[in-house]
C-alpha cells in the first residue's frame, strides 16, 4: 500500500515548492494504526489484554506511533500529519471527544445485536432491523446541530448532545427478557439523536484557528482518533461483558439480560467522561 501510494498520489504544490509524499511518515503511521487496531480486535478473542496476540501488536504499534510523532514533530508541516497542530486547544479537545464518541458508538453496535440474539432469540436479520431506529435518531438532529452551532457555538450543543446520549442509554441499563421493542426503539432514537448532535459541532470545532492548509492534517488526525476509540471501546466492552457472563449463575434469558444491563452502565460512564473535554470546547461561533 505505501508503495502504491508513493507511485499514484500526486505531489502537493505549495507556493514555488513541490512537496513530495512523506513516505517515511507513511511507512511509520500506517502499520502503527493497523497494529494497534488489530491488537485491540484480538482482546475479545483472548478474553483480556494479557496475551501475546494482543500485547505484541499493540506495543509494536505504539512504538511505531511514538517514533512517528518524534519524526513528524521535527519535519513540521511537511510531515504526513502535522502533529504540532495538537498545540491548538480546539483540535486536541475535539480529537479527545471523537475518541470517546467512537468508543460510545461502536460499543452499542456490539452489545445490542448480542442482546437481541442471546436474550430475545432473534435472528441476525431481525437483530439488524431492530437497529434501524438509530438511523432515524441521527437524521433528526444533524441539520439542527449545525444551525445551533452557528448560532450559539459548539460547547452548549455538545454538552446537551452528550446529556441526551446518556438519557437515551439509561433505558438500556434496565433491559429484561421481555422489554418492549417500542420502548427500546424510542431509547435508541434518543440515544443516537444525542450522538448526532455531538459529531458535527465537534468536527467544526476541530478546525477553529487553523488555516486552510492545516485542515487536511486536522481532518486525518481526528478520523484516526475516532477509529482507534471505536476499536478500544469494543475491546473494553467485550471484556466487561465476558466478565458479566462469567458471574451469571443461571443462564436463562432473564439472568443474561442483567449482564447486558451492567455492561451498559459502563457505557454511561464513558459518555459521562466526555462531559469533561466538552466543557473545554471553544465558546465562539463557528
Amino acid at each position: 500500500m505505501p508503495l502504491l501510494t508513493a507511485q499514484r498520489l500526486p505531489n502537493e504544490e505549495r507556493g514555488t515548492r513541490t512537496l513530495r509524499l512523506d513516505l517515511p511518515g507513511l511507512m511509520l503511521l500506517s502499520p502503527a494504526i493497523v497494529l494497534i487496531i488489530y491488537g485491540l480486535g484480538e482482546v475479545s478473542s483472548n478474553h483480556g489484554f494479557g496475551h501475546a496476540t494482543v500485547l505484541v501488536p499493540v506495543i509494536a504499534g505504539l512504538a511505531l506511533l511514538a517514533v512517528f510523532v518524534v519524526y513528524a514533530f521535527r519535519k513540521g508541516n511537511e510531515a504526513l500529519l502535522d502533529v504540532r497542530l495538537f498545540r491548538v486547544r480546539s483540535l486536541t479537545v475535539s480529537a479527545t471527544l471523537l475518541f470517546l464518541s467512537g468508543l460510545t458508538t461502536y460499543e452499542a453496535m456490539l452489545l445490542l445485536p448480542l442482546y437481541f440474539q442471546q436474550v430475545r432469540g432473534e435472528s441476525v436479520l431481525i437483530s439488524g432491523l431492530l437497529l434501524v431506529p438509530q438511523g432515524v435518531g441521527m437524521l433528526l438532529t444533524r441539520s439542527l446541530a449545525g444551525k445551533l452551532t452557528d448560532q450559539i457555538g459548539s460547547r452548549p450543543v455538545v454538552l446537551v448532545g452528550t446529556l441526551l446520549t446518556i438519557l437515551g442509554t439509561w433505558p438500556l441499563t434496565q433491559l429484561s427478557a421481555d422489554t418492549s421493542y417500542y420502548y427500546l426503539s424510542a431509547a435508541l432514537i434518543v440515544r443516537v439523536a444525542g450522538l448526532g448532535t455531538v459529531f458535527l459541532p465537534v468536527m467544526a470545532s476541530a478546525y477553529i484557528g487553523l488555516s486552510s492548509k492545516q485542515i487536511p492534517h486536522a481532518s486525518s488526525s481526528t478520523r484516526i482518533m475516532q477509529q482507534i476509540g471505536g476499536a478500544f471501546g469494543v475491546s473494553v466492552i467485550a471484556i466487561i461483558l465476558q466478565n458479566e457472563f462469567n458471574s451469571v449463575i443461571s443462564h436463562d434469558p432473564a439472568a443474561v439480560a442483567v449482564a447486558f444491563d451492567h455492561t451498559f452502565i459502563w457505557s454511561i460512564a464513558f459518555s459521562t467522561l466526555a462531559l469533561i473535554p466538552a466543557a473545554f470546547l471553544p465558546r465562539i461561533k463557528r
Side-chain angles (χ1 to χ4, degrees), residues 89-134:
R89 191 186 73 173
S90 58
L91 175 60
T92 302
V93 172
S94 297
T96 304
L97 280 168
L98 287 171
F99 176 89
L100 293 172
S101 65
L103 188 155
T104 304
T105 301
Y106 289 106
E107 66 189 22
M109 293 173 65
L110 168 70
L111 292 177
L112 288 171
L114 289 176
Y115 165 77
F116 290 134
Q117 294 172 50
Q118 297 186 10
V119 177
R120 309 302 291 269
E122 303 291 357
S123 65
V124 174
L125 175 60
I126 297 300
S127 298
L129 292 175
L130 288 170
L131 298 178
V132 168
Q134 294 186 118

Side-chain angles (χ1 to χ4, degrees), residues 89-90 93 155 159 275-283:
R89 191 186 73 173
S90 58
V93 172
R155 184 189 300 180
L159 287 172
L275 291 171
I276 298 175
F280 290 93
L281 283 170
R283 299 177 60 183

Side-chain angles (χ1 to χ4, degrees), residues 85 88 90-91 206-215 217-219:
L85 295 180
V88 180
S90 58
L91 175 60
Y207 306 136
I208 292 177
L210 302 181
S211 67
S212 59
K213 294 178 181 179
Q214 293 172 324
I215 287 178
H217 290 272
S219 179

Side-chain angles (χ1 to χ4, degrees), residues 39-262:
L40 292 175
E42 290 295 304
V43 171
S44 58
S45 301
N46 293 277
H47 308 298
F49 286 91
H51 298 270
T53 52
V54 176
L55 291 176
V56 171
V58 169
I59 292 175
L62 290 174
L64 286 174
L65 186 60
V67 174
F68 170 78
V69 170
V70 174
Y71 164 82
F73 192 85
R74 294 177 177 176
K75 197 171 179 65
N77 63 355
E78 296 183 3
L80 187 66
L81 285 180
D82 189 355
V83 297
R84 299 177 306 172
L85 295 180
F86 282 98
R87 292 172 174 175
V88 180
R89 191 186 73 173
S90 58
L91 175 60
T92 302
V93 172
S94 297
T96 304
L97 280 168
L98 287 171
F99 176 89
L100 293 172
S101 65
L103 188 155
T104 304
T105 301
Y106 289 106
E107 66 189 22
M109 293 173 65
L110 168 70
L111 292 177
L112 288 171
L114 289 176
Y115 165 77
F116 290 134
Q117 294 172 50
Q118 297 186 10
V119 177
R120 309 302 291 269
E122 303 291 357
S123 65
V124 174
L125 175 60
I126 297 300
S127 298
L129 292 175
L130 288 170
L131 298 178
V132 168
Q134 294 186 118
V136 176
M138 184 66 71
L139 290 174
L140 286 176
T141 55
R142 277 188 82 85
S143 59
L144 179 61
K147 293 177 181 178
L148 289 175
T149 301
D150 288 335
Q151 293 173 2
I152 62 176
S154 59
R155 184 189 300 180
V157 177
V158 173
L159 287 172
V160 171
T162 303
L163 292 173
L164 197 62
T165 302
I166 295 170
L167 178 65
T169 306
W170 176 252
L172 303 182
T173 67
Q174 311 297 314
L175 297 174
S176 66
D178 56 357
T179 302
S180 168
Y181 283 160
Y182 295 107
Y183 179 70
L184 282 177
S185 296
L188 290 180
I189 290 174
V190 173
R191 184 179 189 276
V192 181
L195 286 171
T197 305
V198 168
F199 282 129
L200 189 59
V202 169
M203 291 301 299
S205 296
Y207 306 136
I208 292 177
L210 302 181
S211 67
S212 59
K213 294 178 181 179
Q214 293 172 324
I215 287 178
H217 290 272
S219 179
S220 300
S221 300
T222 52
R223 183 62 177 167
I224 289 170
M225 291 293 288
Q226 188 175 14
Q227 292 299 315
I228 294 178
F232 179 75
V234 169
S235 303
V236 171
I237 287 297
I239 294 173
I240 295 172
L241 182 61
Q242 184 61 50
N243 290 335
E244 291 293 335
F245 281 158
N246 293 338
S247 64
V248 172
I249 299 175
S250 172
H251 288 81
D252 64 280
V256 175
V258 173
F260 284 96
D261 293 344
H262 293 169

